Amino acid sequence: MSIPAAYLGVILIWATTPLAIKWSGQGTDFSFAVAARMAIGLAVAAFVLAAWRIRLPLHRRARASYAAAGIGMFGAMTLTYWGAQYIHSGLISVLFGLTPLITGLLALLWLGEETLTRAKLAGMLLGLAGLAVIFGDSHEMGGAHALAGVLALLGAVTLYSGSLVWIKRIGDDSPPLATTVGALAVALPLFALVWWWSADARVPAAVPPRAGAAIVYLGVFGSVVGFALYYYVIKHMETGKVALITLVTPVLALLLGSALNGEHVGVRVWLGAACIGTGLAVHQWQTLAGALAPRAK
């Protein structure tokens, strides 16, 4: 597969996922939307695993990795879908742009693998400043309960980042698709429990066409194709160029939410997004500079 095509595919999937999450919950309970997405994702991933004859490892490290990824996925996605009811779709991508900052901090505290340089500290402070700007006006974030939505998303990002560090600490070398299947297998029963608890496991009498299409899109592309393309890009491209994805997708997500969902993105949100993006760029500066610098001949 063409590497530029895979790179563009990751950007497009990541930029459209927040809006699809928003749409998937319109006319359905959020717990049904996320449980249905994960069920579709598990079915598709398992089919691909079998079709490509990829073995599903079941040794101790693999099981620990599936548990770490599955628990992180469950916590992060449950909070994301709940919070998406109250904030603009673009803000979901902006807040998930904090993942490298939080992951770096957790890796420093848990793994002791990084040094907190001035650039990394400055990037974290800029990210916090961006959050402070966004918190300034709840109406610009999406509604009266937007603060609760943002806090839920911050919890989601923290859980997701924590699971990444946990997986790295385990050090499993299973194929990425196998890890995806294992994680979905762990997470799906937990999503089903939330659905049973919050909606009595009721299937909506009629799922709006747009919500149904969004659930299928997320199950196939958001949960399987996007991860496969991302791992492919990581394998074939420099880390710095891969890191640029997290700078591009929040802006695209904000524009898509405004254009396709009529979301009013105020000045505070744009300023906050700019601060977070700048903080991420500063935090990742060494990696980005290595990718952008001209190659010596």
Side-chain angles (χ1 to χ4, degrees):
M1 183 180 184
S2 166
I3 296 175
Y7 190 84
L8 180 60
V10 173
I11 291 175
L12 291 177
I13 291 173
W14 284 15
T16 53
T17 292
L19 184 57
I21 289 175
K22 188 82 172 177
W23 283 351
S24 69
Q26 294 177 349
T28 65
D29 186 83
F30 82 93
S31 60
F32 169 80
V34 67
R37 168 190 175 174
M38 297 305 166
I40 293 171
L42 178 58
V44 172
F47 173 78
V48 174
L49 196 73
W52 289 356
R53 297 182 180 179
I54 299 175
R55 186 174 59 88
L56 182 68
L58 292 175
H59 52 76
R60 184 180 59 82
R61 282 192 176 182
R63 296 196 305 270
S65 180
Y66 302 157
I71 292 171
M73 179 188 295
F74 165 70
M77 287 297 99
T78 299
L79 289 174
T80 297
Y81 272 73
W82 184 86
Q85 301 173 101
Y86 306 114
I87 64 174
H88 293 322
S89 64
L91 263 181
I92 298 173
S93 185
V94 170
L95 293 173
F96 264 91
L98 292 167
T99 299
L101 305 181
I102 298 176
T103 302
L105 181 59
L106 293 177
L108 173 68
L109 297 174
W110 197 357
L111 304 179
E113 66 174 22
E114 294 187 9
T115 302
L116 191 60
T117 63
R118 291 181 180 179
K120 292 184 182 296
L121 180 59
M124 292 176 183
L125 292 176
L126 280 170
L128 289 175
L131 284 178
V133 172
I134 290 173
F135 274 128
D137 190 341
S138 63
H139 293 289
E140 289 200 2
M141 293 190 290
H145 301 289
L147 179 59
V150 170
L151 290 175
L153 261 295
L154 289 176
V157 175
T158 302
L159 288 173
Y160 177 70
S161 300
S163 72
L164 293 179
V165 177
W166 187 5
I167 292 169
K168 189 166 185 177
R169 184 173 184 175
I170 293 169
D172 179 39
D173 59 354
S174 299
L177 186 59
T179 302
T180 300
V181 171
L184 286 168
V186 170
L188 185 57
L190 300 176
F191 286 118
L193 284 175
V194 172
W195 177 33
W196 175 80
W197 177 75
S198 64
D200 294 328
R202 290 192 303 269
V203 177
V207 178
R210 187 167 71 173
I215 290 172
V216 173
Y217 173 79
L218 290 168
V220 176
F221 290 91
S223 298
V224 181
V225 177
F227 280 109
L229 291 178
Y230 180 62
Y231 289 128
Y232 180 80
V233 166
I234 287 176
K235 185 177 180 180
H236 292 90
M237 293 187 71
E238 299 92 336
T239 305
K241 291 181 180 179
V242 177
L244 287 172
I245 295 174
T246 57
L247 297 179
V248 175
T249 50
V251 177
L252 289 179
L254 285 170
L255 292 173
L256 286 171
S258 178
L260 301 180
N261 206 43
E263 297 172 356
H264 171 69
V265 183
V267 176
R268 280 184 176 272
V269 174
W270 281 114
L271 287 176
C275 283
I276 291 173
T278 303
L280 180 58
V282 172
H283 185 273
Q284 302 279 70
W285 178 247
Q286 286 186 329
T287 303
L288 293 172
L292 298 175
R295 291 179 178 273
K297 294 185 179 179

